[in-house]
């Protein structure tokens, strides 16, 4: 019994190794097929990201004429679009890492996030200045405190200078 089992051990071990190699080969085909699908998906997603960036550049509030209210509304819309496409990019990158593929960079998304932050800073400063000056219009001539207004103006100027130079 035991001696016979020990004699058959190497043959059984060889058979197990053969089955493992066969299974690994069939899984490799599946792995490669899924990897190819993922590469196509990444290629298609790059087109989506490129279109997203073009839309962002066309719709983001880069123009003064639209006013602060419309600018903030558009920034919120662009923020939602950006977060949605960024989540899709993260999911795709996770799959690419899983299949040992190089994850996408998606610089367009990063650039849009940066520009969105800069636009918000710019519109925040513009709204602050406009609201401050608008508030001053309601001050009666006899109630004007020039020292206070000059001090506030200086503070606004200093705040504007602290904004990122890219703005």
């Amino acid at each position: 019994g035991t001696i016979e089992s020990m004699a058959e051990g190497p043959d059984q071990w060889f058979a197990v190794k053969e089955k493992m190699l066969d299974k690994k080969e069939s899984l490799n085909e599946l792995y490669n097929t899924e990897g190819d699908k993922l590469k196509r998906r990444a290629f298609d997603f790059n087109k989506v990201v490129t279109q997203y960036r073009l839309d962002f550049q066309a719709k983001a509030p880069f123009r003064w004429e639209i006013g602060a209210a419309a600018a903030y509304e558009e920034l919120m819309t662009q923020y939602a679009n950006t977060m949605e496409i960024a989540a899709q990019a993260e999911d795709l990158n996770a799959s690419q890492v899983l299949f040992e593929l190089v994850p996408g960079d998606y610089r367009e998304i990063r650039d849009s996030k940066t520009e969105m932050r800069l636009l918000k800073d710019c519109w925040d400063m513009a709204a602050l200045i406009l609201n401050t000056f608008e508030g001053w219009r309601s001050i009666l001539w006899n109630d004007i405190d020039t020292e206070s207004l000059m001090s506030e103006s200086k503070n606004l100027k200093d705040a504007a200078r602290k904004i990122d130079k890219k703005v």
Side-chain angles (χ1 to χ4, degrees):
T2 305
I3 295 177
E4 290 172 4
S5 294
M6 288 181 69
E8 292 175 1
D11 292 336
Q12 290 176 345
W13 179 247
F14 182 77
V16 167
K17 285 186 354 184
E18 284 292 315
K19 284 182 182 178
M20 187 260 323
L21 290 174
D22 289 343
K23 185 54 81 177
K24 186 176 179 181
E25 192 173 306
S26 70
L27 288 176
N28 275 342
E29 290 174 25
L30 180 61
Y31 183 84
N32 290 336
T33 301
E34 290 302 313
D36 290 342
K37 286 180 188 176
L38 194 55
K39 286 177 188 175
R40 282 191 299 279
R41 195 171 127 211
F43 180 78
D44 292 341
F45 186 68
N46 275 326
K47 292 178 186 176
V48 170
V49 169
T50 299
Q51 186 59 51
Y52 152 79
R53 179 66 177 158
L54 293 171
D55 290 346
F56 175 85
Q57 289 173 322
K59 294 177 183 175
F62 289 108
R63 295 181 337 275
W64 175 255
E65 302 84 44
I66 69 169
Y72 283 119
E73 193 174 309
E74 187 57 41
L75 279 171
M76 291 301 294
T77 301
Q78 292 302 323
Y79 178 79
N81 293 344
T82 301
M83 291 302 103
E84 182 181 327
I85 201 157
Q88 292 173 18
E90 285 181 32
D91 289 345
L92 184 58
N93 282 350
S95 296
Q96 288 172 317
V97 167
L98 184 65
F99 281 86
E100 299 173 356
L101 299 172
V102 178
D105 181 37
Y106 309 119
R107 182 181 182 100
E108 298 92 339
I109 297 172
R110 224 178 28 252
D111 290 347
S112 295
K113 284 180 178 181
T114 299
E115 287 178 8
M116 205 173 333
R117 182 185 53 80
L118 294 172
L119 279 167
K120 179 161 182 335
D121 290 348
C122 183
W123 281 107
D124 285 348
M125 183 53 60
L128 176 63
I129 292 170
L130 289 172
N131 289 335
T132 300
F133 286 143
E134 188 62 36
W136 290 352
R137 289 188 179 150
S138 64
I139 299 174
L140 299 175
W141 281 102
N142 291 336
D143 297 335
I144 292 176
D145 177 4
T146 55
E147 295 287 325
S148 173
L149 297 179
M150 290 300 288
S151 175
E152 261 189 88
S153 291
K154 183 181 180 301
N155 290 341
L156 289 172
K157 178 182 76 171
D158 292 342
R161 284 186 175 161
K162 290 179 183 175
I163 291 181
D164 192 322
K165 300 301 178 217
K166 293 177 185 170
V167 173

